Amino acid sequence: MATCTATPSSSTTAPYVVMILFVLSWKQAPSLQTGWMMWNWMVSALAVGAAIVLYDGSPFIPSPSVLWDLVDSLRVTILGTGARWLAALEERGVRPRETHSLSSLHTILSTGSPLKPQSYDYVYSQIKVDVLLGSISGGTDIISCFAGHNPTLPVHRGEIQARNLAMAVECWNENGEPVMDSDGELVCVRPFPSQPTHFWNDEDGIKYTKAYFSMYKGVWAHGDFCSINSETGGIVMLGRSDGTLNPSGVRFGSAEIYNIVEHMDVGIADSLCVGQRFRGDERVVLFLKMAVGHRFSEELVGRVKREIREKLSARHVPHIILEIADIPYTINSKKVEVAVKKIISGQEVGPRGALANPASLDLFYNIPELSLENGL
């Protein structure tokens, strides 16, 4: 999904023109419009006099430059998109800096999933050198962001620039202690303006408390794994904490693995990294989707393990690396880790309505290398 804010032409009185791109079929789009926070944000855009245009279709049809054509033709100033789209542009070798003016564009905003450090390199080298690249992180439940961009601060590779106003965000370890330069839970230690007060049909507040305050009593834990840089104040998002990997008590986020594996020049199109219960502990399983024309092999597995060991540590190396034909995603382009973790751990998986490719989950059932006989 992408959002563009453009300066108006002389024929309109609206201060902005906002365009939303749904990378969906038209049948899916209506369910997303009111089901994700961006719908609420667009209603707010109307409140300030902006005009909204909905673009329903693929951002690569009729060409990978379709959105950049719109940036130039509509004089777009702010382009909001998803991290997945930027990565896909890089994979296709799209270089808007060489083919388009982009003179009006001053800000690119990214949401939906963690923005990889390599995508920062791509934006500044192949899109525009003097643009503000702002990664933002929040949630539909708060209709807001805990962290985001700030035009008065420098952009640091791989980091969200700052914690947002009125958001007392900290990173806490398992003991409920604030930490810097270390992985932990994203928490908000004080009430904030958009904090929901309750759930419908939850009169005693049990579901509400369980959702946000069960990890640390009285403190909002949002379910994101992150790290805060003590020098820059920037936040590195490491994925959902319910999908956090924890082999032998060593916790790390799946994004750390993706940042390495998906930028190796070995023909890996996509990946999914999850934990599996194994002999009273958890083992890390990495699934690789190969690009067309590339073959999965033991040699490839060895290269992946060496790269992870060298750039992270031996404790980050997956116990098992397997090939898979497809990776499940939600309709707003987030990798589906928790459902896969449940499947390979022998647990039930709920409805699949939020998935863009629900049939992909079937690929993770009854994998011989992960069977009960192998130690589950």
Side-chain angles (χ1 to χ4, degrees):
M1 175 178 179
T3 306
C4 306
T5 305
T7 54
S9 66
S10 57
S11 61
T12 178
T13 58
Y16 300 104
V17 177
V18 180
M19 182 188 73
I20 307 174
L21 171 74
F22 289 105
V23 191
L24 306 164
S25 73
W26 69 271
K27 292 182 179 179
Q28 291 172 311
S31 65
L32 178 61
Q33 290 178 21
T34 56
W36 194 28
M37 62 184 295
M38 294 308 301
W39 182 87
N40 304 77
W41 280 27
M42 293 302 98
V43 170
S44 299
L46 288 174
V48 298
I52 297 177
V53 179
L54 300 183
Y55 185 99
D56 181 10
S58 167
F60 300 104
I61 296 175
S63 78
S65 296
V66 61
L67 285 188
W68 303 115
D69 295 341
L70 289 171
V71 168
D72 279 349
S73 65
L74 298 177
R75 302 293 296 164
V76 169
T77 57
I78 301 175
L79 170 64
T81 183
R84 180 64 180 165
W85 180 65
L86 291 173
L89 288 177
E90 182 180 8
E91 292 168 4
R92 287 168 167 78
V94 180
R95 297 179 175 85
R97 186 178 180 184
E98 300 176 2
T99 58
H100 292 73
S101 168
L102 308 183
S103 59
S104 62
L105 185 66
H106 62 68
T107 301
I108 295 177
L109 301 179
S110 174
T111 188
S113 59
L115 186 62
K116 300 174 183 178
Q118 294 86 349
S119 291
Y120 285 73
D121 300 336
Y122 169 71
V123 167
Y124 285 108
S125 65
Q126 303 301 337
I127 297 180
K128 193 174 185 182
V129 68
D130 59 347
V131 72
L132 170 62
L133 176 57
S135 180
I136 62 178
S137 180
T140 297
D141 38 5
I142 65 172
I143 314 296
S144 184
C145 289
F146 284 117
H149 61 296
N150 186 327
T152 68
L153 297 175
V155 174
H156 294 278
R157 182 178 185 266
E159 297 181 5
I160 297 179
Q161 286 176 282
R163 288 165 275 190
N164 281 5
L165 292 175
M167 296 294 189
V169 169
E170 295 181 359
C171 177
W172 280 17
N173 62 20
E174 292 178 321
N175 298 321
E177 302 165 334
V179 294
M180 303 288 278
D181 306 312
S182 182
D183 300 351
E185 295 282 341
L186 185 151
V187 300
C188 197
V189 299
R190 295 181 182 179
F192 47 95
S194 59
Q195 179 177 322
T197 59
H198 62 283
F199 290 162
W200 284 345
N201 301 319
D202 181 34
E203 295 181 3
D204 51 12
I206 293 178
K207 293 181 180 179
Y208 176 72
T209 300
K210 182 179 179 181
Y212 304 115
F213 300 100
S214 60
M215 184 172 295
Y216 308 108
K217 186 175 181 180
V219 174
W220 180 288
H222 195 60
D224 283 332
F225 206 49
C226 71
S227 176
I228 301 178
N229 188 321
S230 60
E231 293 187 8
T232 65
I235 299 178
V236 178
M237 301 305 299
L238 301 172
R240 293 291 298 170
S241 57
D242 51 11
T244 298
L245 303 161
N246 192 24
S248 302
V250 179
R251 301 179 76 217
F252 59 91
S254 56
E256 298 178 66
I257 302 297
Y258 302 144
N259 288 342
I260 294 173
V261 172
E262 294 176 13
H263 286 81
M264 293 177 62
D265 189 19
V266 291
I268 297 173
D270 206 350
S271 65
L272 188 77
C273 193
V274 297
Q276 182 193 33
R277 294 182 304 177
F278 181 70
R279 295 177 182 172
D281 196 359
E282 181 178 87
R283 62 180 177 183
V284 177
V285 182
L286 175 62
F287 295 96
L288 301 179
K289 177 183 176 181
M290 302 306 297
V292 176
H294 293 268
R295 188 173 64 88
F296 182 86
S297 66
E298 287 303 317
E299 179 184 1
L300 172 70
V301 170
R303 289 186 62 180
V304 170
K305 287 185 175 181
R306 286 194 298 272
E307 192 81 0
I308 293 173
R309 182 180 291 107
E310 291 173 3
K311 293 189 175 180
L312 293 174
S313 76
R315 295 177 297 182
H316 289 77
V317 177
H319 187 275
I320 298 177
I321 300 180
L322 301 170
E323 184 179 14
I324 202 76
D326 200 9
I327 302 295
Y329 278 88
T330 65
I331 56 177
N332 51 3
S333 300
K334 295 181 181 180
K335 292 187 182 187
V336 179
E337 296 174 344
V338 175
V340 171
K341 181 177 181 178
K342 288 182 177 180
I343 289 172
I344 67 174
S345 295
Q347 300 176 20
E348 294 294 326
V349 176
R352 304 183 181 189
L355 271 65
N357 53 342
S360 61
L361 287 184
D362 297 333
L363 301 171
F364 296 89
Y365 285 96
N366 303 317
I367 298 176
E369 294 88 345
L370 304 178
S371 67
L372 295 171
E373 289 75 15
N374 280 318
L376 180 64

